[in-house]
Amino acid sequence: MTASRALRQPELVSAKMRARVSAAVETLGYAPNEAARALVSATSSTIGVLIPSISNLVFVDVLRGIYDAAEDTPYQVQIANTRYRDSKEQELLKVFAAQRPAGLIVTGVDQSPATRAILSGLGSPVVQIMDVGADPVDMMIGFDHRQAAHAATRHLVEQGYRRIGFIGARMDPRSQKRLDGYIDALTEAGLFDDGLILTSPQPTSVAQGSRMFGEFLAMAPDADAVFCNNDDMALGALFECQRRHIRVPGQFGIMGYNNIEYAAASAPSLSSVKTPCYEMGQGAVQMIAAAARGQRPDPAVVDLGCQLMPRESTDRRVGQFRAER
């Protein structure tokens, strides 16, 4: 019983006893049988995490927060990649449900009715991440994409840009909300033109951003700025400007989204929206742990907010200084 407690709830056992049990585990090469444990306790120690991409740097930060929060806890993290497909998400949820997880972390708030039914019937804590809404399956932690995109677009207007476009690839529901925020801000400013919007169902990448920016310039040669649905796309647009000898920000302003590490390191540095991806992953695990202790968070929806990161790529004062030189 003591050994079991040391493995399942180490905080209830003295440090000396934990060390003795750990030494015995190492000597014996013992591995707990999670399936048997789940049958006895009606749950496992697994936290399932469903994300739509394993290559997108945004989700790398989310996973880092999840793993850091799960460190030194009884929980084990299992990742599944839905590849932005509802059918794949349902399939993977059924796999997790069979494991009787301690909790599930799922991406987005726009699940299909069939997916929501699976999540609601799990009997385990569920945290939706990457977005916020009024109707959580259980708990939710994220930020408002529409509001963040509105702030980013308004910044471009305040910098004096007037023909501001939108470039977006992989237009999932969160990217669509960014497009809605862009439309809101330009409509309020009396500057909206639907001929300045270019989207694609293709995956986002720096190369895709370069290609689409070239298409955008052919479509709207009088444009003077662009808001991209993520930083990969924005960096591609920046590189294409450099190939075409278009001065950024003097002739053209570029705004990204997510504030990946490369944004601040590019030349010129890339203006972006800092999204709290690490904090969100960390918070999701903490919410599951609290729910397991019977301390379900109140409120159930946590909006972490976003931060505008204005840098050189939208600062016309920088452009004027370089032109004078």
Side-chain angles (χ1 to χ4, degrees), residues 183-315:
I183 293 172
D184 291 344
L186 290 188
T187 300
E188 290 169 9
L191 297 172
F192 176 63
D193 179 349
D194 60 6
L196 295 175
I197 296 172
L198 180 63
T199 63
S200 167
Q202 296 300 314
T204 65
S205 68
V206 174
Q208 179 72 1
S210 292
R211 284 192 295 270
M212 289 187 68
F213 185 74
E215 295 174 23
F216 174 78
L217 286 182
M219 180 181 80
D222 62 337
D224 61 1
V226 68
F227 171 43
C228 300
N229 75 322
N230 64 31
D231 289 337
D232 288 347
M233 299 291 289
L235 285 170
L238 176 60
F239 294 156
E240 189 64 23
C241 279
Q242 292 170 344
R243 275 190 286 271
R244 294 173 182 237
H245 305 289
I246 298 171
R247 295 192 313 275
V248 176
Q251 291 176 267
F252 207 93
I254 300 176
M255 169 67 72
Y257 192 94
N258 282 322
N259 195 49
I260 63 173
E261 181 182 0
Y262 306 141
S266 67
S269 56
L270 181 66
S271 295
S272 189
V273 176
K274 183 179 180 181
T275 54
C277 294
Y278 176 86
E279 296 81 1
M280 185 171 44
Q282 195 173 47
V285 173
Q286 292 167 351
M287 292 170 86
I288 287 172
R293 296 192 301 268
Q295 300 169 352
R296 190 167 293 275
D298 184 23
V301 178
V302 178
D303 186 344
L304 295 173
C306 294
Q307 181 182 356
L308 186 66
M309 305 295 289
R311 298 192 179 99
E312 292 175 339
S313 70
T314 59
D315 188 346

Side-chain angles (χ1 to χ4, degrees), residues 23-37:
V25 165
E26 186 173 347
T27 300
L28 296 171
Y30 171 74
N33 187 326
E34 286 296 329
R37 179 181 292 179

Side-chain angles (χ1 to χ4, degrees), residues 145-146 149-154 157 164-166 171 175-197 199 227:
H145 291 265
R146 188 167 186 160
H150 183 282
T153 308
R154 187 178 61 212
V157 173
I164 302 167
F166 178 92
M171 293 298 291
S175 287
Q176 184 61 50
K177 290 176 182 177
R178 293 170 211 165
L179 174 55
D180 292 341
Y182 156 88
I183 293 172
D184 291 344
L186 290 188
T187 300
E188 290 169 9
L191 297 172
F192 176 63
D193 179 349
D194 60 6
L196 295 175
I197 296 172
T199 63
F227 171 43

